[in-house]
Amino acid sequence: MAYADYVMPASERAPRWSLSMAWWALFSAMFWIYVAVASAGAVGLIDTIIGMALTVATYGVINLILSRHAARTGLTVELTSRSMFGVVGSALATLIFAATAIYYCVFEGSIIAIAFQKTFGGELNLWYAAVVAYAIPLASGPVQRWLDRLNGILLPIYALGLILVVVFATVQNGAPTSVFDVAAAGPLPGWVTSYLIYMGVWIMMMYTFDYARMGRKQDERFHGQFTFGWVFYFFTFIVNGLVGIYIIAATGHEGSETGVVDAFLGSMGFFGLLVIFISQTRINTANYFLASSNLDAFATRVFRLALPRWVWVIVAGIITYVLMLTNVVTWLLKALAWQGVFVVAWVAIALVFIWMLRGKDVVPEVRRAYLPAVTLGALAWIVASAVGILLTELAGATVFGALAPVITFAIAAVGAWAAFRLQPPRTIATDDAPRIDEQHLA
């Protein structure tokens, strides 16, 4: 069954803990350590903690709403976007989603490669190839069959690694006397800047959607709070973040992706390498899974290519490797900032879309034959994103530039409300929805 081309039938939904362990792969990304360190270096420890706490609260509320809707409807980001934006408009959502997932494949894969090179030597390009080569077969199987078992086994090892890296860093270097005691620069208070930094990774909300649709409806409360909600983000953002800030301060390494690697390897040696390998393997199984699924959806929509998902896993791996070989960081970070604007706008529109369907015994219509090519919702998305990108290019220069993600969210929400009032989304009565669960929707 092609992942992106079907409503998820109830018979294929994952058990509660199976889905939880598959999702908690994302807890172990080194990216969360890097983001926290970057925030602390920019605005200081206290403001970063406030920003992280507000972020956890925001993620908890929004992902509770998104995960429940995804579980009730069985829809992916692409299928939901099809209902909001039309058949053609939805293709942009899948392209942005796939591109972002591939970026994280590049980032997390590079961490593993750098760690292996620092430990064993050799050409970095060969380590890049090795990292991609072993990730492809791991990501090629159906997520329900193996990802939960793999991550259930590796999760305790990663958690132990977080504890030990703090202990070893303290024993070897002593407790840091000053932990990012810096004053925030820029037009906004430091805690606001920290919060906005975390808004740049709202792609996790789209990740949530594509995973939560595999949950059983009777488990939506559990998933909304524990699996995809505030519990997960407390550990992912705050626990990971504080560990990262502490070990960088204790070891004195640079607050960069390579600095994080140096802190783990310098504190724990080979066990540090093992923790990095485990953590990045866990997260990249999810990254490749979502990258391939959305490449599949995009190619199906735009080029009518109905290929097995394992083909798209290989394509994602090839793209990842090519990006690793290039001096891609400068323009890729700019591209990531731009896609972050699209993601924030998408989240705002999705929340309005779900709110306007509340209390109605309906689910969104997603069959191509019953939907227009482009809707007014797509126009709202493009306009809000265009304004957001313009403001992003002014970031740091003005208050409006710094607040680009918040302004984008507000414009998208208001625009979506107007668009859906003028052109209400097409829906299907809930009683009729099971008839299309097994239909091919491409």
Side-chain angles (χ1 to χ4, degrees):
M1 178 179 287
Y3 173 85
D5 296 344
Y6 292 81
V7 175
M8 181 65 75
S11 60
E12 295 190 16
R13 303 295 180 97
R16 173 185 294 190
W17 286 106
S18 175
L19 182 57
S20 292
M21 289 299 98
W23 173 256
W24 274 66
L26 282 84
F27 159 62
S28 61
M30 287 288 169
F31 188 77
W32 310 131
I33 293 177
Y34 170 70
V35 169
V37 170
S39 175
V43 303
L45 175 63
I46 300 302
D47 282 334
T48 293
I49 292 175
I50 295 172
M52 288 192 297
L54 293 173
T55 296
V56 169
T58 302
Y59 271 67
V61 172
I62 293 178
N63 283 321
L64 176 65
I65 297 170
L66 296 181
S67 64
R68 286 183 173 180
H69 180 77
R72 290 172 183 174
T73 62
L75 300 180
T76 61
V77 164
E78 191 279 328
L79 292 175
T80 302
S81 297
R82 191 186 299 185
S83 184
M84 295 191 299
F85 306 136
V87 176
V88 175
S90 67
L92 179 60
T94 61
L95 181 60
I96 291 171
F97 198 168
T100 306
I102 287 173
Y103 166 78
Y104 289 119
C105 288
V106 172
F107 182 91
E108 307 294 348
S110 296
I111 293 290
I112 305 177
I114 291 170
F116 274 103
Q117 186 201 38
K118 286 179 176 290
T119 303
F120 301 111
E123 290 291 330
L124 185 59
N125 289 348
L126 295 179
W127 284 117
Y128 286 152
V131 166
V132 171
Y134 91 81
I136 287 175
L138 286 178
S140 297
V143 67
Q144 301 98 319
R145 294 183 184 175
W146 57 265
L147 194 55
D148 58 330
R149 297 187 183 94
L150 174 67
N151 290 310
I153 294 170
L154 298 182
L155 178 59
I157 301 176
Y158 176 71
L160 178 63
L162 289 182
I163 296 171
L164 291 180
V165 73
V166 171
V167 173
F168 278 81
T170 304
V171 170
Q172 294 172 12
N173 304 282
T177 56
S178 178
V179 183
F180 292 99
D181 185 17
V182 300
L188 299 174
W191 63 269
V192 176
T193 299
S194 178
Y195 182 83
L196 293 173
I197 288 172
Y198 279 96
M199 281 192 77
V201 291
W202 273 27
I203 189 66
M204 289 292 286
M205 297 178 186
M206 297 177 83
Y207 274 43
T208 291
F209 214 98
D210 269 12
Y211 268 73
R213 53 107 55 159
M214 294 183 283
R216 296 171 177 174
K217 295 179 182 179
Q218 62 267 31
D219 295 331
E220 65 179 38
R221 181 181 178 85
F222 172 84
H223 289 315
Q225 294 184 358
F226 178 82
T227 306
F228 305 111
W230 70 269
V231 175
F232 171 79
Y233 286 104
F234 172 81
F235 285 96
T236 298
F237 290 154
I238 295 182
V239 173
N240 271 325
L242 291 180
V243 168
I245 291 170
Y246 182 88
I247 64 172
I248 290 295
T251 61
H253 289 296
E254 182 183 359
S256 64
E257 61 273 21
T258 55
V260 171
V261 171
D262 290 334
F264 271 83
L265 295 180
S267 299
M268 297 191 294
F270 184 79
F271 186 71
L273 175 66
L274 180 63
V275 171
I276 291 173
F277 175 74
I278 288 172
S279 68
Q280 304 313 94
T281 298
R282 295 180 77 241
I283 182 63
N284 258 357
T285 54
N287 287 332
Y288 276 98
F289 175 73
L290 293 170
S292 61
S293 298
N294 283 277
L295 284 174
D296 179 12
F298 178 77
T300 302
R301 271 354 119 235
V302 177
F303 303 112
R304 294 296 195 167
L305 289 176
L307 301 175
R309 194 177 63 81
W310 63 264
V311 174
W312 296 111
V313 174
I314 295 175
V315 171
I318 293 172
I319 295 173
T320 297
Y321 180 64
V322 170
L323 291 177
M324 285 176 169
L325 294 179
T326 64
N327 185 17
V328 74
V329 174
T330 53
W331 66 262
L332 196 57
L333 289 177
K334 176 69 70 176
L336 191 65
W338 282 29
Q339 67 79 25
V341 168
F342 279 96
V343 171
V344 167
W346 184 93
V347 171
I349 294 170
L351 290 175
V352 172
F353 178 75
I354 294 170
W355 178 74
M356 295 186 78
L357 294 181
R358 75 195 190 287
K360 299 178 182 179
D361 195 21
V362 298
V363 294
E365 173 64 80
V366 293
R367 291 170 293 181
R368 292 175 59 93
Y370 296 90
L371 293 172
V374 179
T375 68
L376 290 178
L379 178 62
W381 190 29
I382 296 299
V383 170
S385 299
V387 173
I389 289 173
L390 177 63
L391 292 175
T392 297
E393 294 305 300
L394 302 175
T398 66
V399 172
F400 290 111
L403 288 173
V406 175
I407 296 172
T408 300
F409 183 91
I411 293 174
V414 173
W417 179 83
F420 294 147
R421 288 294 298 268
L422 292 172
Q423 187 183 27
R426 297 183 183 181
T427 58
I428 309 170
T430 302
D431 291 341
D432 294 332
R435 294 187 298 103
I436 68 166
D437 276 2
E438 302 283 353
Q439 292 183 22
H440 190 275
L441 301 172

